[in-house]
């Protein structure tokens, strides 16, 4: 039977409930165990049981004493049979997965045992044999002086309702060193965490309080014994699980409960964060824990649970990551790269955006593959259904006089299930008025205007529409010149995602047509949205193009063809990862041969949609992290914008009379990966 993870073994299952509540398996699966990080345990000592074999740091120190026969001496023993509490705390943090017993939440951590207990062997009251607290301020100062970024303090003051300046100053000094003092909230069922009276502006950033949750497996409930966070410290308070299996001083498994058990779970998480990102301070690790805690109870930070339950996966995942090109940084969220169909994508995404390093809001580096954020516009079934419905419902109206002509194409689509719920809209239109020898014209063209173009049966020689379908409006003039007709047009258009303006000059004589033009796009490139954020493919583009078209009779056949050449320059911005883009040279062509057959006309053709034939760019982005300088390392990645020459092969048949018309067509790419077919029949009623 397959298992969900190799880390989900018997030792993990000893603390299955508490680990599952906090998503601990996520860290283990990624090998983030707190390795290389020291956590100071200020407690009654830590005995090196098998679960802590080799885990006790030489920096460990005993501040305590032993009194026997009325003589008090320095003890200098890191752990012994009296170190039951500290040993359990240490195993919850760093217990090894060694084939027996249990494991801690961060088994790679090294424990610095700072023993702060006094042993009185002369007393006859077992409750008074051990007293905690001796040397606590010295132990905390020692941890700060030795660069230990996390202290686990599963201890509390004796009197929670009396301020203690020594505690306040002690934590303040450690905070100034960048340390995180992880402190049990207490087990008196109180309304405030123990220590709340000592909490102030000097120590708040380095003090993290922990309350304990009950492992009900079905809800989030504070244990009956746990203090609440309270209103004073709730912004520096989190919850963890109040019961964990630990190891006692004899190496046996024990159930260890209390806020003392919840606190080392938080310390272990802090160690994981610092292990993966050693550039952070303990204070910063604490901020990450707070800001990634799972909100439980009353929405928002509340007096019971504070920020909520710690979440290992959330804490080790990026928080508001940013993309940088070495000059500016912008949020990853919402970023996307949309590539026009004319731009090639062979290995583009992986080459440009594979293995990218980003920084999050805490300066943590994350490496990953962003190629999944590259979007390619594609037609879906709904789009094709729409186009066929448009053609099925299409109609045209026109009239002409010697000095004026006008036409309008229209169609309709159903807007709701009701039979009468149809919306009629304009698909194309033209009006022309003659003034002297000149014709003044205005035109509208949309993607719904003709079925031939989207199918590829008779590719349009309208270069403007090919280079930017957004530019669907034109106003211009036609004037006889040199035996032909000279045309000058201004073009423009706007969509939800961009706009285009431009100019076109054309000349036509008989079957010969020549065009040249300029199109300026904003927010789109070749009529396609460029994307968002640092990944976007420019802020628009400027394109110049030229096109020639020709119709020639060849006996019983008629040959028609066109070819366009263009040059496009992207509009750049300093916040984009695309930091350099050369001129893209583009091309499109079509060739159709047709003749009369069976009372109609049959045609064979080949059509290459607009494609980039030459063009290169450079992406500049983070590709690594230098720990010494705490900064991203950048690389420049050249990419090729060239697309594929992959023409459509077409065959069509048209037959029509005064009252009806039939049109059939099939188109396919040369590799038969894209095959399209269309048939329409129209009947005109008088």
């Amino acid at each position: 039977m397959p298992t969900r993870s190799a880390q989900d073994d018997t030792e993990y299952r000893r603390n299955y409930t508490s680990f599952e509540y906090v998503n601990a398996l996520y860290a283990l699966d990624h090998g983030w165990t707190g390795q290389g990080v020291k956590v100071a345990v200020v407690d009654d000592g830590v005995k090196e049981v098998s679960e802590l074999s080799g885990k006790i740091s030489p920096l460990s120190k005993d501040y305590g004493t032993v009194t026997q026969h009325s003589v008090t001496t320095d003890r200098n023993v890191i752990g012994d049979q009296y170190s039951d509490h500290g040993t359990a705390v240490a195993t919850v943090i760093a217990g090894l997965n060694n084939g027996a017993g249990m494991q801690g939440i961060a088994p790679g951590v090294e424990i610095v045992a700072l023993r702060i207990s006094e042993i009185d062997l002369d007393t006859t009251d077992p409750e008074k044999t051990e007293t905690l607290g001796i040397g606590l301020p010295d132990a905390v100062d020692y941890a700060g002086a030795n660069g230990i970024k996390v202290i686990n303090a599963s201890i509390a003051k004796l009197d929670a309702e009396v301020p203690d300046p020594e505690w306040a100053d002690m934590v303040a000094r450690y905070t100034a060193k960048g340390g995180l003092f992880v402190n049990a909230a207490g087990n008196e069922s109180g309304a405030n965490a123990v220590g709340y009276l000592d909490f102030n502006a000097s120590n708040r950033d380095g003090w993290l309080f922990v309350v304990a949750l009950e492992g009900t497996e079905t809800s989030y409930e504070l244990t009956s014994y746990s203090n609440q966070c309270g209103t004073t410290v709730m912004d520096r308070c989190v919850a963890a699980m109040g019961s964990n299996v630990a190891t006692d001083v004899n190496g046996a498994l024990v159930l260890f409960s209390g806020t003392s058990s919840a606190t080392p779970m938080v310390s272990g998480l802090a160690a994981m964060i610092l292990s993966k990102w050693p550039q952070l301070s303990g204070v910063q690790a604490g901020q990450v824990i707070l800001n990634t805690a799972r909100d439980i109870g009353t929405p928002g930070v509340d007096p019971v649970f504070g920020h909520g339950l710690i979440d290992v996966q959330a804490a080790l995942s990026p928080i508001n990551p940013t993309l940088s090109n070495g000059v500016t940084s912008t949020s990853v969220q919402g970023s996307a790269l949309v590539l026009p169909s004319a731009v090639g994508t062979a290995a583009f995404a992986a080459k440009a955006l594979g293995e990218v390093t980003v920084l999050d809001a805490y300066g943590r580096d994350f490496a990953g593959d962003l190629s999944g954020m590259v979007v390619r516009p594609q037609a879906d079934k709904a789009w094709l259904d729409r186009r066929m419905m448009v053609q099925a419902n299409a109609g045209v109206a026109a009239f002409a006089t010697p000095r004026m002509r006008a036409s309008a194409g229209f169609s309709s689509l159903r807007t709701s299930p009701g039979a009468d719920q149809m919306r009629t809209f304009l698909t194309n239109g033209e009006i022309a008025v003659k003034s002297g020898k000149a014709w003044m014209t205005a035109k509208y063209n949309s993607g719904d205007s003709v079925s031939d173009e989207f199918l590829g049966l008779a590719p349009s020689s309208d270069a403007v529409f090919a280079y930017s379908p957004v530019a669907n409006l034109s106003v211009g003039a036609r004037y006889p010149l040199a035996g032909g007709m000279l045309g000058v047009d201004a073009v423009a258009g706007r969509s939800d995602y961009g706009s285009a303006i431009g100019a076109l000059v054309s000349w036509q004589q008989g079957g010969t047509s020549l065009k040249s033009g300029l199109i300026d796009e904003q927010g789109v490139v070749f009529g396609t949205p460029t994307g968002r954020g640092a990944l976007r493919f420019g802020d628009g583009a400027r394109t110049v193009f030229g096109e020639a078209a020709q119709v020639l009779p060849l006996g019983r056949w008629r040959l028609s063809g066109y070819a366009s050449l263009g040059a496009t320059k992207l509009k750049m911005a300093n916040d984009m990862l695309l930091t350099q883009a050369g001129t893209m040279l583009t091309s499109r062509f079509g060739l159709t041969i047709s003749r009369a057959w069976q009372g109609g006309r049959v045609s064979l053709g080949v059509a290459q949609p607009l494609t980039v034939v030459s063009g290169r760019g450079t992406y500049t982005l983070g590709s690594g992290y230098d720990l010494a300088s705490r900064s991203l390392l950048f690389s420049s990645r050249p990419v090729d914008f060239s697309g594929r020459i992959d023409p459509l092969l077409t065959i069509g048949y048209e037959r029509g009379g005064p009252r009806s018309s039939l049109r059939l067509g099939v188109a396919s790419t040369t590799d038969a990966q894209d095959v399209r077919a269309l048939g329409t029949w129209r009947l005109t009623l008088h």
Side-chain angles (χ1 to χ4, degrees):
M1 181 177 178
T3 59
R4 62 173 182 160
S5 167
Q7 305 300 324
D8 183 15
D9 57 12
T10 301
E11 290 175 78
Y12 177 89
R13 292 265 165 167
R14 296 272 190 253
N15 280 311
Y16 181 79
T17 298
S18 62
F19 282 2
E20 289 295 291
Y21 262 94
V22 301
N23 290 324
L25 193 60
Y26 176 81
L28 297 173
D29 280 340
H30 288 82
W32 301 328
T33 63
Q35 59 269 38
V37 175
K38 296 178 176 65
V39 173
V41 175
V42 290
D43 216 296
D44 62 2
V46 178
K47 186 178 179 182
E48 190 173 347
V49 294
S50 60
E51 294 292 354
L52 297 172
S53 178
K55 305 294 291 181
I56 310 300
S57 168
L59 289 174
S60 299
K61 191 172 182 179
D62 184 6
Y63 292 86
T65 61
V66 176
T67 299
Q68 188 172 24
H69 306 307
S70 300
V71 177
T72 300
T73 59
D74 292 337
R75 182 176 46 215
N76 200 27
V77 177
I78 300 303
D80 54 25
Q81 69 271 25
Y82 297 104
S83 304
D84 53 347
H85 190 269
T87 301
V89 167
T91 56
V92 171
I93 297 173
L96 290 168
N97 190 316
N98 55 4
M102 49 75 66
Q103 76 166 71
I105 192 170
V109 164
E110 186 177 1
I111 298 295
V112 179
L114 301 179
R115 193 174 187 185
I116 55 168
S117 67
E118 300 171 270
I119 303 297
D120 185 357
L121 298 178
D122 292 341
T123 184
T124 58
D125 184 352
E127 296 295 323
K128 295 181 180 180
T129 300
E130 182 180 46
T131 303
L132 287 178
I134 186 172
L136 175 60
D138 291 336
V140 172
D141 290 343
Y142 174 82
N146 282 275
I148 299 169
K149 297 180 179 181
V150 181
I151 290 177
N152 187 95
S154 292
I155 56 174
K157 299 187 310 179
L158 291 177
D159 192 343
E161 300 307 317
V162 177
D164 188 337
E166 190 173 40
W167 269 73
D169 294 343
M170 170 187 75
V171 180
R173 292 193 300 272
Y174 188 57
T175 299
K177 295 281 189 180
L180 181 66
F181 190 76
V182 187
N183 196 186
N187 303 319
E188 292 77 37
S189 305
N192 292 284
V194 176
Y196 79 102
L197 292 176
D198 309 310
F199 184 72
N200 57 46
S202 297
N203 58 35
R204 71 176 313 280
D205 291 343
W207 206 336
L208 191 58
F209 297 89
V210 184
V211 298
L213 294 189
E214 194 72 61
T216 65
E217 300 186 32
T218 58
S219 61
Y220 299 115
E221 299 175 16
L222 207 66
T223 60
S224 60
Y225 55 78
S226 177
N227 289 355
Q228 299 179 18
C229 293
T231 55
T232 302
V233 304
M234 65 183 187
D235 195 45
R236 296 292 307 175
C237 188
V238 292
M241 305 312 296
S243 293
N244 289 280
V245 172
T247 304
D248 66 11
V249 292
N250 298 314
L253 297 179
V254 294
L255 183 62
F256 179 44
S257 298
T259 55
S260 289
S261 183
T263 300
M265 295 190 75
V266 180
S267 298
L269 175 54
M272 293 179 206
I273 295 168
L274 293 169
S275 174
K276 187 164 179 2
W277 297 285
Q279 68 268 33
L280 300 185
S281 66
V283 167
Q284 290 172 308
Q287 284 293 338
V288 171
I289 292 171
L290 288 167
N291 290 338
T292 56
R294 192 180 314 146
D295 189 16
I296 57 179
T298 303
V301 179
D302 66 81
V304 178
F305 303 106
H307 280 261
L309 178 62
I310 62 169
D311 189 325
V312 172
Q313 181 171 352
L316 295 174
S317 300
I319 302 171
N320 298 326
T322 57
L323 291 165
S324 177
N325 58 14
V327 177
T328 61
S329 297
T330 55
S331 176
V332 173
Q333 186 175 8
S335 291
L337 168 59
V338 181
L339 286 177
S341 57
V343 176
T345 56
F348 184 100
K351 188 169 185 180
L353 300 175
E355 294 302 317
V356 177
T357 301
V358 301
L359 297 182
D360 78 346
Y362 294 95
R364 300 185 297 173
D365 55 299
F366 290 84
D369 186 348
L370 300 184
S371 59
M373 300 175 77
V374 177
V375 179
R376 190 77 163 179
Q378 292 185 356
D380 57 20
K381 183 180 184 298
W383 174 86
L384 185 59
D385 287 347
R386 169 192 164 87
R387 298 305 296 272
M388 297 194 67
M389 289 178 63
V390 166
Q391 297 309 311
N393 297 323
V396 64
F399 75 89
T401 71
R403 304 194 67 82
M404 182 178 180
R405 62 177 183 265
S407 65
F410 56 88
S411 187
S412 58
L413 289 173
R414 187 178 303 280
T415 58
S416 71
D420 59 342
Q421 301 299 307
M422 300 290 288
R423 179 177 67 88
T424 301
F425 57 93
L426 188 68
T427 59
N428 60 80
E430 178 181 5
I431 184 168
V433 177
K434 191 173 185 181
S435 176
K437 294 183 177 181
W439 284 89
M440 312 304 293
T441 64
K443 294 182 181 180
Y444 168 73
N445 189 26
S446 78
D448 289 320
S449 60
V450 289
S451 60
D452 298 339
E453 187 171 341
F454 92 89
L455 186 58
L457 298 181
S460 170
S461 62
D462 184 351
V464 172
F465 201 72
Y467 275 97
S468 184
V470 173
N472 55 9
L473 297 170
S474 68
V475 176
R478 302 290 181 271
Y479 190 85
L481 181 68
M485 187 69 73
L486 175 68
V488 178
D489 293 274
V491 298
R494 179 176 294 277
S495 69
D496 292 338
Y497 41 82
S499 61
I501 59 173
L504 178 70
V505 177
S506 62
W507 182 78
Q508 184 173 359
Q509 182 185 42
T512 302
S513 174
L514 300 175
K515 298 178 181 179
S516 64
L518 167 68
I519 300 175
D520 188 295
E521 296 178 297
Q522 189 68 35
V524 292
V525 174
F526 302 134
T528 301
T530 61
R532 296 187 302 272
L535 291 177
R536 67 190 187 279
F537 192 63
D539 284 334
R542 292 184 179 90
T543 298
V544 294
F545 64 86
E547 182 178 271
Q550 184 69 53
V551 177
L552 294 173
L554 296 175
R556 299 173 61 186
W557 293 87
R558 183 178 66 189
L559 179 67
S560 61
Y562 67 90
S564 302
L565 291 176
T568 299
K569 190 71 174 177
L570 293 179
K571 295 179 180 178
M572 307 294 288
N574 63 6
D575 64 330
M576 300 189 320
L577 297 186
L578 179 62
T579 53
Q580 187 275 329
T583 300
M584 292 184 286
L585 301 181
T586 56
S587 177
R588 59 189 289 271
F589 61 84
L591 185 66
T592 303
I593 186 169
S594 63
R595 59 161 292 178
W597 183 70
Q598 295 294 315
R601 194 163 194 86
V602 66
S603 63
L604 302 172
V606 58
Q608 170 62 45
L610 182 71
T611 189
V612 176
V613 295
S614 176
R616 299 184 66 82
T618 301
Y619 277 80
T620 303
L621 36 73
S623 57
Y625 186 81
D626 180 59
L627 190 57
S629 63
R630 300 190 178 188
S631 59
L632 281 176
L633 301 175
F634 293 90
S635 64
S636 296
R637 304 178 182 182
V639 293
D640 191 346
F641 297 144
S642 300
R644 293 177 58 192
I645 301 298
D646 189 17
L648 284 172
L649 305 178
T650 66
I651 181 172
Y653 178 71
E654 296 178 90
R655 181 175 177 176
R659 300 188 57 184
S660 66
S661 63
L662 172 68
R663 309 184 77 196
L664 301 171
V666 178
S668 172
T669 55
T670 54
D671 58 6
Q673 293 298 306
D674 181 5
V675 180
R676 314 174 191 183
L678 179 68
T680 63
W681 177 68
R682 291 183 181 173
L683 177 65
T684 303
L685 299 178
H686 296 285

